[in-house]
Amino acid sequence: MKAIIKSVRPLLIMLTLMPMLLLAACGSRAAGMNGKVELTISAAASLTDALNELKPLYEKTHANTSIAYNFGASGALQQQIEQGAPADVFLSAASKNMQALVDKKLIRPGRERNLLTNELVVVVPPSGKASATSLQDLQKASMKRIAIGIPESVPAGKYAMEALRGSKLWDGLQPKLVQGKDVKQVLQYVETGNADAGFVYKTDALASKKAEIAFTIDPASYSPILYPVGIVSSTKHEEAAEAFYAFLSSEEALNIFIKYGFSVSP
């Protein structure tokens, strides 16, 4: 009899513990489901300051969402998304990069719109001896190095190329041009004195304490600078991505963009 009891006891213990183990497992799964969603936002480098200010405001009112930014040139970000890099929302500094993803069905249908506009300016170091008031002044001997974003991947560089070509200056300035991987690097070249002038967005120039606007380029000389936003088709957090997408058009968010020099797209 004792032998039978001994053989049954382990089975009874297992049957007693099984509900507890199942409950613990369910609790673990529930905790995972209720954990924070991390949204990856791939955004043009020129949006860095504004989006960094938006991040804590958004996370404060959306406790279950954390924001992770991936800043870079719009062309490079487009290629990353095309190659399958994780991203939930894309903010581009040029319509063509967004449209390329829309055409490939990599942006959710009906979830893409123009959000902001910007202006192109030329900046110079405040203490620099070189001065310029027009594109023609970039031909001066004192203008030895002129920074510009890589036109193929940096929208600001493409806009600058359009303006220079329209003024018949593109070919003649080639020996002076120093290319940057994004608009932030172009600004850095000027701020550090590694370039005598640089083509950047008005928003970047206003945020800089080490560079000043020499002149604003005629908007008629380049394509309209539009910042579209779209939800990436491969997002695994559709609800959270939709919420952030909507937030970007809220009065609170737009006021911060305007604070940094952007204009709201009509």
PDB file of all heavy atoms in Angstrom, residues 13 41 43 49 52 83 91 105 128 131 249 257:
ATOM      1  N   ILE A  13       1.410  15.710  -7.062  1.00  0.00           N
ATOM      2  CA  ILE A  13       2.131  16.987  -6.982  1.00  0.00           C
ATOM      3  C   ILE A  13       2.127  17.690  -8.336  1.00  0.00           C
ATOM      4  O   ILE A  13       1.898  18.882  -8.441  1.00  0.00           O
ATOM      5  CB  ILE A  13       3.573  16.763  -6.490  1.00  0.00           C
ATOM      6  CG1 ILE A  13       3.546  16.282  -5.029  1.00  0.00           C
ATOM      7  CG2 ILE A  13       4.400  18.041  -6.616  1.00  0.00           C
ATOM      8  CD1 ILE A  13       4.915  15.875  -4.495  1.00  0.00           C
ATOM      9  N   ILE A  41      10.792  55.280 -36.673  1.00  0.00           N
ATOM     10  CA  ILE A  41      10.443  56.372 -37.577  1.00  0.00           C
ATOM     11  C   ILE A  41      11.668  56.729 -38.405  1.00  0.00           C
ATOM     12  O   ILE A  41      12.655  57.251 -37.887  1.00  0.00           O
ATOM     13  CB  ILE A  41       9.971  57.625 -36.802  1.00  0.00           C
ATOM     14  CG1 ILE A  41       8.957  57.247 -35.711  1.00  0.00           C
ATOM     15  CG2 ILE A  41       9.431  58.666 -37.760  1.00  0.00           C
ATOM     16  CD1 ILE A  41       7.707  56.597 -36.223  1.00  0.00           C
ATOM     17  N   ALA A  43      13.316  59.153 -40.813  1.00  0.00           N
ATOM     18  CA  ALA A  43      13.009  60.551 -41.128  1.00  0.00           C
ATOM     19  C   ALA A  43      14.208  61.283 -41.695  1.00  0.00           C
ATOM     20  O   ALA A  43      15.358  61.006 -41.327  1.00  0.00           O
ATOM     21  CB  ALA A  43      12.515  61.266 -39.864  1.00  0.00           C
ATOM     22  N   ASP A  49      15.815  68.024 -35.181  1.00  0.00           N
ATOM     23  CA  ASP A  49      15.543  68.851 -33.993  1.00  0.00           C
ATOM     24  C   ASP A  49      14.057  68.880 -33.648  1.00  0.00           C
ATOM     25  O   ASP A  49      13.677  68.733 -32.479  1.00  0.00           O
ATOM     26  CB  ASP A  49      16.057  70.273 -34.218  1.00  0.00           C
ATOM     27  CG  ASP A  49      17.574  70.322 -34.367  1.00  0.00           C
ATOM     28  OD1 ASP A  49      18.251  69.496 -33.727  1.00  0.00           O
ATOM     29  OD2 ASP A  49      18.077  71.166 -35.119  1.00  0.00           O
ATOM     30  N   ASN A  52      12.866  65.387 -32.372  1.00  0.00           N
ATOM     31  CA  ASN A  52      13.394  65.094 -31.033  1.00  0.00           C
ATOM     32  C   ASN A  52      12.605  65.827 -29.960  1.00  0.00           C
ATOM     33  O   ASN A  52      12.430  65.321 -28.845  1.00  0.00           O
ATOM     34  CB  ASN A  52      14.873  65.460 -30.948  1.00  0.00           C
ATOM     35  CG  ASN A  52      15.768  64.377 -31.525  1.00  0.00           C
ATOM     36  OD1 ASN A  52      15.385  63.211 -31.575  1.00  0.00           O
ATOM     37  ND2 ASN A  52      16.960  64.746 -31.960  1.00  0.00           N
ATOM     38  N   GLN A  83      14.924  47.631 -49.142  1.00  0.00           N
ATOM     39  CA  GLN A  83      15.709  46.429 -48.843  1.00  0.00           C
ATOM     40  C   GLN A  83      15.203  45.679 -47.619  1.00  0.00           C
ATOM     41  O   GLN A  83      15.798  44.697 -47.196  1.00  0.00           O
ATOM     42  CB  GLN A  83      17.182  46.817 -48.660  1.00  0.00           C
ATOM     43  CG  GLN A  83      17.827  47.326 -49.950  1.00  0.00           C
ATOM     44  CD  GLN A  83      19.154  48.032 -49.720  1.00  0.00           C
ATOM     45  OE1 GLN A  83      19.679  48.049 -48.605  1.00  0.00           O
ATOM     46  NE2 GLN A  83      19.700  48.615 -50.783  1.00  0.00           N
ATOM     47  N   LEU A  91       9.240  59.705 -43.094  1.00  0.00           N
ATOM     48  CA  LEU A  91       9.104  61.133 -43.378  1.00  0.00           C
ATOM     49  C   LEU A  91      10.242  61.531 -44.293  1.00  0.00           C
ATOM     50  O   LEU A  91      11.409  61.459 -43.920  1.00  0.00           O
ATOM     51  CB  LEU A  91       9.162  61.965 -42.095  1.00  0.00           C
ATOM     52  CG  LEU A  91       7.947  61.874 -41.173  1.00  0.00           C
ATOM     53  CD1 LEU A  91       8.263  60.981 -39.983  1.00  0.00           C
ATOM     54  CD2 LEU A  91       7.555  63.251 -40.667  1.00  0.00           C
ATOM     55  N   LYS A 105       4.355  49.838 -53.735  1.00  0.00           N
ATOM     56  CA  LYS A 105       3.384  49.360 -52.740  1.00  0.00           C
ATOM     57  C   LYS A 105       4.046  49.102 -51.380  1.00  0.00           C
ATOM     58  O   LYS A 105       3.623  48.223 -50.619  1.00  0.00           O
ATOM     59  CB  LYS A 105       2.656  48.106 -53.231  1.00  0.00           C
ATOM     60  CG  LYS A 105       1.934  48.303 -54.557  1.00  0.00           C
ATOM     61  CD  LYS A 105       1.067  47.120 -54.913  1.00  0.00           C
ATOM     62  CE  LYS A 105       0.445  47.266 -56.300  1.00  0.00           C
ATOM     63  NZ  LYS A 105      -0.293  48.518 -56.484  1.00  0.00           N
ATOM     64  N   GLY A 128      33.602  83.993 -40.900  1.00  0.00           N
ATOM     65  CA  GLY A 128      34.317  83.783 -42.162  1.00  0.00           C
ATOM     66  C   GLY A 128      34.555  85.082 -42.915  1.00  0.00           C
ATOM     67  O   GLY A 128      33.774  86.033 -42.835  1.00  0.00           O
ATOM     68  N   SER A 131      32.058  86.242 -48.140  1.00  0.00           N
ATOM     69  CA  SER A 131      30.692  86.743 -48.051  1.00  0.00           C
ATOM     70  C   SER A 131      30.001  86.502 -49.386  1.00  0.00           C
ATOM     71  O   SER A 131      30.638  86.431 -50.439  1.00  0.00           O
ATOM     72  CB  SER A 131      30.666  88.233 -47.709  1.00  0.00           C
ATOM     73  OG  SER A 131      31.293  88.990 -48.723  1.00  0.00           O
ATOM     74  N   SER A 249      -0.065  65.577 -37.637  1.00  0.00           N
ATOM     75  CA  SER A 249      -0.893  66.635 -38.216  1.00  0.00           C
ATOM     76  C   SER A 249      -1.686  67.394 -37.154  1.00  0.00           C
ATOM     77  O   SER A 249      -2.500  68.265 -37.487  1.00  0.00           O
ATOM     78  CB  SER A 249      -1.863  66.051 -39.248  1.00  0.00           C
ATOM     79  OG  SER A 249      -1.167  65.565 -40.377  1.00  0.00           O
ATOM     80  N   PHE A 257       6.787  72.141 -35.427  1.00  0.00           N
ATOM     81  CA  PHE A 257       7.444  72.220 -36.735  1.00  0.00           C
ATOM     82  C   PHE A 257       7.593  73.678 -37.168  1.00  0.00           C
ATOM     83  O   PHE A 257       8.642  74.086 -37.676  1.00  0.00           O
ATOM     84  CB  PHE A 257       6.632  71.445 -37.777  1.00  0.00           C
ATOM     85  CG  PHE A 257       6.745  69.952 -37.669  1.00  0.00           C
ATOM     86  CD1 PHE A 257       5.618  69.152 -37.529  1.00  0.00           C
ATOM     87  CD2 PHE A 257       7.988  69.327 -37.704  1.00  0.00           C
ATOM     88  CE1 PHE A 257       5.733  67.767 -37.431  1.00  0.00           C
ATOM     89  CE2 PHE A 257       8.114  67.943 -37.622  1.00  0.00           C
ATOM     90  CZ  PHE A 257       6.975  67.163 -37.478  1.00  0.00           C
TER      91      PHE A 257
END
